[in-house]
Amino acid sequence: MESSTKCEMQLLVNGETKSVVARQGDTLLFVLRNELGLTGAKPGCLNGDCGACTALVDGTPIKSCMMLAIETVGKEITTIEGLHNTPIQRAFVEHFAFQCGYCTPGFIMNAYALTETKPDADDATIQEWLESNICRCTSYQEIEAAVKEVLRQKRKTE
Amino acid sequence: MAIGKSVIRKDAWDKVTGRAKYTNDFKEKGMLHAKLVTSPYAHARIRAIDIEKARSLPGVRAIITGEGLPLTGEDLRDRPPIAFDKVRYHGEVVALVVADTLVHAEKAANLVHVVYEPLPAVGKPSEALKEGAPLIHEQLGSYQKNEHTYPEPNTNIAHRTKIRKGNIEQGWAESDVVVETSVAFSPSDHVAIETRCATAEILPDGHIIISASSQSPFMIKRLISTYFGEDVGNIIVHTPLVGGAYGGKAPVQLELLAYLASKAVGGRKVSVWNAREEDMITSPVHIGLEATVKLGATKDGYIKAAEILFLFDGGAYSDKAIDVSRAAAVDCTGPYHIENVWCDSLCVYTNHPYATPFRGFGHSEQAFAIERAMDLLAEKLGMDKWELRRKNAIRPGHTTPTQVVLNRSNVGDLPACLDRLRELMEWDEWQRIEIDAYTVRAKGISCAWKTSTIDPDASSGVLLTFNPDGSVNVISGVVEIGTGTKTILAQIVAEKLKMDVNDVYVKMDIDTQTTPEHWKTVGSRGTFMAGRAALEAADDAIRQLKAIASCVLRASVEDLEVGYGKVFLRDDPSIYVPVKDIAYGYKYPNGNAIGGQIIGRGNYILRHLTPLNKETGAGKPGPEWTVGAEGVEIEFNRRDYTYKILKAFAVIDIGKVLNPKAALGQAMGAMSMGLSFASRETFLFDRYERVLNPQLRTYRPIRFGEHPEYIVEFIETPQIDAPYGARGAGEHGLIGMPAALANALSLAAEVPLNELPLIPELIWRKKKGDSHDSI
């Protein structure tokens, strides 16, 4: 059935080139999880509403349930597995900015891109970015504290 | 040492690196996938199901329908795992398609053709109780039930709890002022970001291996055995980390479907995973309520009588809704001293998705009704709203609605919570203030209390195994659903064994074959019960360590102490043996050895609990009551009826705070969920009782930036039975939020707001005297 539409593609994920065979209709989320075993990106709604599947494509956070894998050929994909001991991860740990942890990879990817690209972000900008993810355990105040601490550090070092 | 510190959670680094795994993250080549076929009607007779076309698609391995399956339910067996003969709610499972991939299964599911004959549907509990209302369970009288469930055959009443305390007539006679008010809200959802998932595999030797995103792995094992006659020892349930639960993963549903699916394909492994839409309406939801509260008080504000009617919208099946309706009755008055109480709490069948526990277990619902009445009473008395609550606050020596006598240990200090809340909120400064022509700020408060109402014989076990370096593994049946309880257990063990918490490891996932049972991870009972078991296990380990050290050191066990990685002489710590040298037995220089691996065992069962008396409700349902005083400050726009929640306050007596940051997280997270429920969450039903918004785009929980500032403090009145005096803390922040928000908005808008969610349209309609229909 769908085998006729499968094709091989090279994806650049977390700095490594990966060869995968996927349907043209497969989302990036599906390929990351089922073909590459990168289960950090989570399915939450498959509708772009919750942000749990957020990954970076050329540095921009996208909802990987809303993008086809084939669209990312030639682009640089970063998933939560590609972040190692970054300030935002440390801040999430120290501020207890997670509980069940399911939305956490998506939130961190979004917050990481924000702190990397917009160190001067004001409250409105922070809200504009982070309101695309839903966290159901925390009050968001913990996440806000984590993000603002990283932004403060970034401004200090720049 | 470890207690009272904000120890970093043991699951922290796995969770911030994407390495933490949840049920649906475990994939296997060759695993089959199931897709649910669900009902588009809320109430309909199933005339025929045609599976021929679907069955003939490539990749389809089995299609299962509801014929011949046992009825299920923990208190009352009223629910077929797959609908048979008729469907009773929109989203109910009518067939299950098993195929090689999810894509194959979805395609086939779309081709299953079901012929329905729609029946009249009923939504509101009050409508379901009317004469001539559609009967949802014609066979209610013949269902199996437990001895404390009282369905009323030929009605839509699944269960009724009665509370009769004191003499209600005398209460009214002593009252100078009487108020009566009614509240209502529809069912809503938990919206855990991880949708529910279960896999099942049946091995040739009879083992049934289930993996489930669940708060109740041990209950899954018991229920599959009960329902399907399987040997309980053959059933093994795995639960890895769970991506949010809030009560919604306490019931057992998909696990039964996964088991049936695997059975239909010769035991092959099958995964059943909810899409968001199914997770919202096919799986159980947060309960709805219609309630009436009548309070009587003396003119100086002492409450003398409370008459309360709760009509809970249990939905199509009773599941745990019976328990929720009972729990609301148990604490029906809120944390107030009232000597004369009459309460009927009904779990009513409707054609809505069926209800199950939601964080707070009937208490935010109960509090919304009582606390709206409290504000009304204060207004009628001309008394300050805080003052009325302070005057009637429950204290040691008082009795609860089920006639439990409170003491200094089993209830927290509500007056202290109220006093601190008054200061934090600057209550006396102002309660309503007009900023400009359109902008009004207002404050609202609510009290909260809760005990657990879990099974009186629920138990919890902990195993401690030692590693060769003297470090310890904690193995407990508490599921890590996000609350951090397993980190707290590590702190408890470290404190008891006087060791570094970094040398205490926790096993995060559950395997019911090797993990001691913890009944269910519900009711804010994890720290108390598993904590007690952990302390007993640590004592057991200490006994064993001392016994070996006593031989090695040639000293009586009474003269020994354990701590700091050593067993040492109490009066001369310089004489010692390192724990690492005896954790796996001690080897003498000549090669002889004694002892063996130290394995500490502990368990705990709640003490002296009793079921409620059928006629009066008298009984002891839970061990202790956590109390709290909560409030919100809002800014309301009188022109367009929008509002912002500026601040949310809570002062909760959680006994000893074991991990401050974790405790704050529990309180604030619960408050956030309460405000989200109160301000914007509800299912919208059409006139056929179909859910119109089973998606996160149309059902919109609170998002980043919409959160208020949270101000939370704790009072620490110890519960002397609990580990280091800690009280339950997982739910209480939520309980007061809906009422506090409604009280603040009612004050701001100058109109009683007794429905949820409190969206601008509701406020506008109430201001216009309900002359506009909803849009």
Side-chain angles (χ1 to χ4, degrees), chain B residues 537-551:
Chain B
D539 274 331
D540 188 34
I542 288 169
R543 262 193 306 277
Q544 296 172 45
L545 289 166
K546 282 184 179 173
I548 301 174
S550 150
C551 298

Side-chain angles (χ1 to χ4, degrees), chain A residues 1 33 42 44 47 49 80 89 93-94 96 98-102 131 134 136-137 139-142 144, chain B residues 9 15-16 22 24-25 104 190-191 243-244 246 276 482 661 665-666 669 681 697 702-703 707 710:
Chain A
M1 197 165 48
R33 290 176 58 81
K42 302 296 185 202
N47 199 40
D49 298 330
I80 186 74
Q89 288 168 300
V93 169
E94 281 155 18
F96 284 55
F98 67 90
Q99 286 180 28
C100 81
Y102 196 84
E131 70 185 4
I134 300 173
R136 202 60 173 155
C137 294
S139 70
Y140 295 115
Q141 189 161 293
E142 305 90 327
E144 184 180 13
Chain B
R9 291 174 55 138
K15 285 183 172 173
V16 300
Y22 303 79
N24 193 39
D25 292 338
H104 286 100
H190 309 79
V191 189
Y246 326 109
R276 175 56 61 189
K661 279 192 185 173
Q666 285 307 297
E681 291 186 37
R697 198 158 294 189
I702 202 164
R703 285 177 184 263
H707 60 288
Y710 290 94

Side-chain angles (χ1 to χ4, degrees), chain B residues 164-328:
Chain B
R164 306 287 184 266
K165 177 186 160 187
N167 179 341
I168 195 76
E169 293 311 323
Q170 191 186 328
W172 298 129
E174 290 171 6
S175 299
D176 304 314
V177 176
V178 173
V179 295
E180 183 171 333
T181 192
S182 296
V183 305
F185 50 87
S186 293
S188 52
D189 196 40
H190 309 79
V191 189
I193 305 299
E194 178 204 24
T195 60
R196 297 164 178 92
C197 182
T199 68
E201 184 176 15
I202 304 169
L203 302 182
D205 68 359
H207 275 108
I208 298 160
I209 319 283
I210 309 272
S211 286
S213 169
S214 172
Q215 294 170 259
S216 313
F218 298 92
M219 190 53 70
I220 294 170
K221 177 173 151 174
R222 291 190 195 197
L223 293 182
I224 287 181
S225 169
T226 304
Y227 298 153
F228 302 105
E230 301 282 2
D231 291 338
V232 74
N234 263 341
I235 306 163
I236 301 171
V237 183
H238 295 283
T239 294
L241 295 168
V242 171
Y246 326 109
K249 289 172 181 168
V252 177
Q253 183 201 28
L254 292 193
E255 298 81 5
L256 306 179
L257 298 178
Y259 163 79
L260 291 170
S262 178
K263 211 167 169 179
V265 292
R268 290 176 67 185
K269 190 168 182 176
V270 182
S271 161
V272 185
W273 173 65
N274 271 350
R276 175 56 61 189
E277 294 76 4
E278 293 157 351
D279 207 57
M280 291 183 78
I281 63 169
T282 298
S283 286
V285 304
H286 173 199
I287 209 160
L289 174 69
E290 293 175 307
T292 303
V293 177
K294 191 173 156 191
L295 295 178
T298 60
K299 56 182 179 299
D300 49 357
Y302 290 99
I303 304 172
K304 290 293 169 187
E307 186 180 308
I308 300 160
L309 178 66
F310 292 133
L311 304 180
F312 278 100
D313 182 351
Y317 298 102
S318 61
D319 192 63
K320 301 306 293 171
I322 286 175
D323 268 349
V324 174
S325 69
R326 188 187 291 124

Side-chain angles (χ1 to χ4, degrees), chain B residues 598-615:
Chain B
I598 305 294
I599 301 171
R601 309 162 305 159
N603 61 24
Y604 185 73
I605 196 158
L606 293 170
R607 164 169 50 74
H608 293 179
L609 300 188
T610 56
L612 306 185
N613 179 285
K614 187 183 178 187
E615 298 306 326

Side-chain angles (χ1 to χ4, degrees), chain B residues 641 751 761-775:
Chain B
Y641 304 93
V751 65
E761 181 194 323
L762 174 82
I763 306 171
W764 168 73
R765 274 197 287 120
K766 294 297 164 192
K767 281 300 275 186
K768 300 292 175 190
D770 272 326
S771 60
H772 295 262
D773 202 356
S774 64
I775 30 175

Side-chain angles (χ1 to χ4, degrees), chain A residues 1 13 15 30 39 64 78 100 109 136:
Chain A
M1 197 165 48
V13 184
F30 183 88
T39 54
S64 66
T78 311
C100 81
M109 293 316 289
R136 202 60 173 155

